[in-house]
Amino acid sequence: MPDYEDALNQYAALRKAIEAGQVKSAYALGFGGIIEAVSKMAFGNKLGVKLTATTDLTAKHYGWIVVEVENANGLPFRSTALGEVTAEPVFECGGEKISLEEALAAWQNTLEGVFPTRSTASASSIKAVEPMRFTDIYQCKHKAAKPHVFIPAFPGTNCEYDSARAFNRAGAESEIIVFRNQNGQQIRESVDAYVNTIKRSQIVMIPGGFSAGDEPEGSAKFITSVFRNQRIADAVMELLNKRDGLMLGICNGFQALVKLGLVPYGEIRPQAADAPTLTFNTIGRHQSKMAYTRITSNLSPWLRKAELGGVYTIPISHGEGRFVAPQEWLDRLFKNGQVATQYCGFDGMPTMDEEFNMNGSYMAIEGITSPDGRVLGKMGHSERRSKGSAMNIYGNDDQQIFESGVEYFK
């Protein structure tokens, strides 16, 4: 039987080492054992590995964690050396060598015919649009020393705590209120609570997740129904029109903003037949990976601290993130500077390649704004960053969206 007390002590020591910066990356062993963990760690950044361990590399050592450290001396936890990371993209073990590309192809292609990683959609090229710089960015007249952020939570949303932490780190005060809907009385009480909270808030942030399970026929229906309540809609428009308020929607929240009309119109209105919308990914299923996104416009106060044209590495996790719109709308959004962010490749250029534009969004659009930029909707989870997350992912992951939103009211 495992010695649970010892295991907890080892995990606590590992956490301290991670927080101290001794651990560069880590992977918890699964059914494939050490070889699975090391392979996937190498695939991520295309680095090689020279294994020297004599232990069974395929054994199911559940509970073990493979860590990458610069110096193995003085580690606060028990460890066994497995090998070393190499710059050459090659796997080496027991005198045998396999190129990383060969190993990666074998891993990815085995079930490609059964469970494809790419859709049949063609990767058509798109014309790159120069980032748009605005000097006349909307200024707040109703200042607040510590903005209050209202974060509504609905059945199925799951990013409210990450969102609250991101705003609190930036200097705001966040409040999460769950919309209760088990009976009529709870619904009426929830509407009252939402209206009253919006009236004393400077920011409304709709978090990500899968409201009402995204079923049937599309996402964000539950959120949209709630915000179309006349009292709540009036409170939102009063916040935007009379108190210089801001709104942010990420993932499921972006879907809600689009279907409410808050982006791209800047107001809650019925959805027109030709309006931009979000639909199923071209692959036909959920995608979860890191995406590279480029700041295409600085129109929005939410992006005032981001680098125009800068590339940021953001996690995405959605099944309906494909932005689609008629050509007339696409032209209008770019002309007005309402296209805030685009999916891009390593070179920072927007692309339709599914490796980078994993949902197949038209013109690689990842986020758009209202005409004045104060309402921002985007698919990438900018709130999912913390001191110990994605440490082995290259690239800048901090768009400073939440800091920009708070600074807007200063």
Side-chain angles (χ1 to χ4, degrees):
M1 293 295 292
D3 183 340
Y4 290 108
E5 184 176 355
D6 179 65
L8 290 174
N9 290 335
Q10 292 299 308
Y11 290 146
L14 172 59
R15 175 172 179 168
K16 288 182 179 178
I18 292 174
E19 292 175 342
Q22 291 178 278
V23 175
K24 303 301 180 184
S25 63
Y27 195 108
L29 262 60
F31 66 91
I34 293 171
I35 194 65
E36 177 204 11
V38 170
S39 297
K40 289 181 177 179
M41 293 171 79
F43 290 151
N45 291 328
K46 302 293 179 69
L47 297 172
V49 179
K50 181 178 182 179
L51 292 170
T52 57
T54 57
T55 186
D56 185 352
L57 299 178
T58 61
K60 294 176 174 57
H61 293 299
Y62 294 119
W64 287 24
I65 298 178
V66 174
V67 297
E68 177 191 359
V69 296
E70 194 167 339
N71 188 346
N73 296 325
L75 293 175
F77 50 83
R78 289 195 304 276
S79 61
T80 300
L82 300 177
E84 62 180 349
V85 178
T86 63
E88 183 183 11
V90 169
F91 285 118
E92 183 176 351
C93 182
E96 297 287 335
K97 286 187 176 183
I98 302 176
S99 73
L100 188 139
E101 291 299 330
E102 180 183 355
L104 184 58
W107 180 53
Q108 290 183 328
N109 296 341
T110 301
L111 295 176
E112 186 67 22
V114 179
F115 196 67
T117 57
R118 290 175 177 266
S119 72
T120 55
S122 61
S124 58
S125 60
I126 59 175
K127 181 181 179 181
V129 178
E130 285 294 317
M132 297 186 66
R133 182 178 298 279
F134 291 82
T135 55
D136 186 20
I137 299 173
Y138 196 99
Q139 299 295 316
C140 177
K141 305 177 188 66
H142 297 77
K143 305 296 185 179
K146 192 170 188 177
H148 186 273
V149 183
F150 169 48
I151 302 175
F154 301 94
T157 56
N158 54 27
C159 298
E160 49 267 20
Y161 294 113
D162 287 336
S163 301
R165 278 193 290 266
F167 273 114
N168 292 345
R169 283 197 304 265
E173 177 184 58
S174 302
E175 182 176 2
I176 300 170
I177 300 179
V178 176
F179 192 92
R180 300 183 300 147
N181 67 328
Q182 291 183 318
N183 54 54
Q185 181 61 28
Q186 286 188 356
I187 292 175
R188 287 188 289 273
E189 291 174 352
S190 295
V191 170
D192 289 341
Y194 276 32
V195 170
N196 293 333
T197 307
I198 293 171
K199 287 182 176 179
R200 58 184 175 84
S201 298
Q202 283 74 45
I203 298 173
V204 174
M205 193 275 178
I206 306 178
F210 304 92
S211 67
D214 283 355
E215 294 291 343
E217 298 182 0
S219 56
K221 299 176 304 301
F222 191 97
I223 301 174
T224 303
S225 297
V226 170
F227 272 84
R228 286 196 184 280
N229 174 280
Q230 194 60 56
R231 292 180 60 213
I232 294 177
D234 288 345
V236 168
M237 295 316 301
E238 191 269 341
L239 168 70
L240 293 175
N241 293 335
K242 296 183 179 180
R243 294 191 284 119
D244 296 334
L246 298 179
M247 286 195 71
L248 174 65
I250 292 179
C251 194
N252 208 187
F254 182 20
Q255 295 162 342
L257 292 179
V258 168
K259 292 173 182 179
L260 285 167
L262 285 163
V263 290
Y265 300 103
E267 63 181 17
I268 296 176
R269 58 157 64 183
Q271 192 170 24
D274 66 342
T277 190
L278 291 158
T279 187
F280 294 98
N281 302 341
T282 50
I283 194 68
R285 61 172 182 271
H286 187 269
Q287 292 280 66
S288 179
K289 60 190 297 186
M290 302 300 288
Y292 292 90
T293 62
R294 181 187 77 156
I295 306 298
T296 305
S297 166
N298 71 336
L299 171 69
S300 175
W302 288 107
L303 298 172
R304 64 192 299 166
K305 296 176 74 68
E307 177 190 354
L308 182 62
V311 175
Y312 295 84
T313 311
I314 308 297
I316 61 99
S317 180
H318 56 256
E320 298 179 45
R322 187 186 187 202
F323 183 88
V324 298
Q327 187 61 50
E328 295 83 359
W329 259 111
L330 295 173
D331 294 340
R332 187 188 312 176
L333 291 173
F334 277 102
K335 180 181 178 180
N336 294 343
Q338 289 181 251
V339 176
T341 48
Q342 292 174 280
Y343 299 105
C344 64
F346 295 126
D347 59 359
M349 298 303 293
T351 178
M352 293 302 293
D353 185 342
E354 276 185 299
E355 179 68 22
F356 301 98
N357 181 357
M358 58 291 301
N359 51 42
S361 287
Y362 287 13
M363 292 298 290
I365 293 174
E366 186 259 342
I368 64 172
T369 73
S370 57
D372 64 7
R374 286 187 296 133
V375 183
L376 169 65
K378 66 193 302 295
M379 286 309 299
H381 287 279
S382 304
E383 80 282 7
R384 292 186 183 177
R385 60 180 304 273
S386 61
K387 185 178 179 181
S389 64
M391 292 174 63
N392 61 327
I393 302 297
Y394 292 139
N396 185 357
D397 65 349
D398 189 7
Q399 297 168 312
Q400 298 192 73
I401 285 177
F402 306 96
E403 290 79 4
S404 296
V406 172
E407 187 178 283
Y408 165 82
F409 291 98
K410 300 297 186 181

